[in-house]
Amino acid sequence: MSVEKMIKAEARNTLKSGYVSAIMGFVLMLLLFMFFEAIAQADGLIYITLDEIFDKDIFFSAVLYYVIKAILTLIPCVVFLLLSPFINGYIKLYYDASLQNKYDVENLAYFFHKGKYKKTIKLNFSYFLRMIIPTVIFSLPILAFVIICSLCSDNYNEQGWYYFFFGVFVFLSTVGLLIYSLKYFVVFTKYSVDESLNIKEYFKYSKHIMNGKTVEIIKLTVSFIPWFLLSLLAVPLIYVVPYYTQALCISAKWLCELEKEENNYEETQSIPLFNSIQ
């Protein structure tokens, strides 16, 4: 049996022990993202109103327009950051289940407790900052494509081929960014069970664990492609997302346990060498 099949089998068995709680966590996360989407939609409506109110040909009016627009753009980002400990709690819900074979819905609000919220916000913001430059770099092919098309044709955005290749570039850039982000794969699972490290140590730990191991997560994700395609029907999402999340958490657990075993082996091998030196 392949590693991917073993992880998926363990994920299914874990889900059986508390599928209702796992679904509850997923539904709450879905509601949270719907809330963010509602804020973004409200911002969009306000943008339309601003276009009608402010005259961008007048300097003061144009400056005020862009200041207000910048503030409105930041609002969803700030709200997302302030509520992001729910996502950490969601990860803890599934990661604890991978360790204890039991789901505890209270974990969703775990990082809002006194003494945990501030550090969690710092961790999430640190992750966000680390992903800014890679996001810009992986977006460059998309930008270059649009610029080249605009220079070659005035009505490029009316051509079907443009949207096809634009979609291809967006897909490839997104995949590249996701693969890059795998270096931080165990940052949040490690934090969910060990709050003793400082912020930088979580990222160093993850990069050490994931060195040469990212292909394992890629293989696991590829094995879920049929499930993702099935999720286009929407309803299977309530099973596929918890199933995939649990599989990822089990992968993180296995990777960390493998690292411990390798360290223990190196320590036991070094003892005879040390004794011979003595």
Side-chain angles (χ1 to χ4, degrees):
M1 182 181 292
S2 67
V3 175
E4 295 78 32
K5 289 182 178 179
M6 293 172 64
I7 290 173
K8 291 165 79 172
E10 185 174 338
R12 290 193 297 271
N13 290 332
T14 305
L15 281 173
K16 289 178 183 178
S17 67
Y19 182 64
V20 174
S21 297
I23 289 297
M24 189 180 300
F26 167 65
V27 171
L28 288 175
M29 283 299 99
L30 188 61
L31 291 174
L32 184 63
F33 281 102
M34 289 174 65
F35 174 66
F36 294 144
E37 177 64 21
I39 294 177
Q41 291 292 337
D43 274 2
L45 293 175
I46 296 175
Y47 289 161
I48 296 173
T49 304
L50 292 177
D51 288 334
E52 297 175 353
I53 294 175
F54 292 95
D55 185 353
K56 291 188 283 295
D57 292 330
I58 302 175
F59 178 76
F60 177 77
S61 178
V63 171
L64 187 59
Y65 168 81
Y66 288 111
V67 168
I68 295 176
K69 196 169 183 179
I71 293 173
L72 289 173
T73 302
L74 283 174
I75 288 176
C77 298
V78 172
V79 172
F80 183 86
L81 179 63
L82 294 178
L83 295 180
S84 63
F86 272 122
I87 300 176
N88 299 83
Y90 178 75
I91 294 172
K92 182 174 177 61
L93 172 70
Y94 282 84
Y95 194 62
D96 278 6
S98 71
L99 297 173
Q100 305 170 8
N101 203 37
K102 182 178 67 175
Y103 293 91
D104 185 356
V105 179
E106 292 183 0
N107 281 334
L108 291 168
Y110 178 84
F111 293 103
F112 283 93
H113 294 169
K114 185 177 180 181
K116 303 179 186 299
Y117 181 76
K118 186 176 180 180
K119 184 174 183 178
T120 304
I121 292 294
K122 287 182 178 179
L123 179 71
N124 295 343
F125 186 63
S126 182
Y127 176 81
F128 170 76
L129 291 178
R130 282 172 165 80
M131 292 302 296
I132 290 177
I133 294 178
T135 300
V136 171
I137 292 174
F138 281 101
S139 299
L140 290 178
I142 303 173
L143 180 61
F145 172 71
V146 173
I147 292 174
I148 292 172
C149 289
S150 64
L151 293 175
C152 295
S153 174
D154 292 333
N155 60 342
Y156 67 95
N157 57 353
E158 298 176 4
Q159 307 297 320
W161 59 264
Y162 165 77
Y163 291 102
F164 172 78
F165 286 106
F166 181 81
V168 169
F169 277 108
V170 169
F171 174 77
L172 293 176
S173 296
T174 302
V175 170
L177 182 63
L178 290 175
I179 293 174
Y180 174 86
S181 69
L182 288 178
K183 66 194 295 186
Y184 302 133
F185 180 67
V186 300
V187 167
F188 300 104
T189 52
K190 176 66 174 177
Y191 177 66
S192 71
V193 294
D194 183 4
E195 301 167 42
S196 64
L197 305 179
N198 63 49
I199 300 300
K200 290 183 179 180
E201 287 176 328
Y202 288 107
F203 293 95
K204 290 180 180 178
Y205 175 82
S206 182
K207 286 191 285 187
H208 175 68
I209 293 290
M210 295 306 298
N211 184 28
K213 303 293 195 309
T214 56
V215 67
E216 305 301 328
I217 308 303
I218 294 172
K219 287 180 180 178
L220 178 64
T221 300
V222 169
S223 73
F224 269 91
I225 287 179
W227 286 99
F228 297 149
L229 294 175
L230 183 64
S231 296
L232 295 176
L233 301 175
V235 175
L237 276 174
I238 63 174
Y239 178 75
V240 175
V241 174
Y243 181 21
Y244 180 59
T245 304
Q246 190 60 68
L248 290 178
C249 286
I250 290 171
S251 296
K253 179 189 72 171
W254 283 21
L255 288 171
C256 292
E257 289 178 350
L258 179 63
E259 176 64 18
K260 288 180 181 179
E261 291 176 1
E262 290 176 351
N263 287 340
N264 289 336
Y265 176 77
E266 290 175 0
E267 289 175 3
T268 56
Q269 292 297 307
S270 66
I271 291 175
L273 176 63
F274 178 78
N275 289 338
S276 65
I277 295 174
Q278 292 295 319

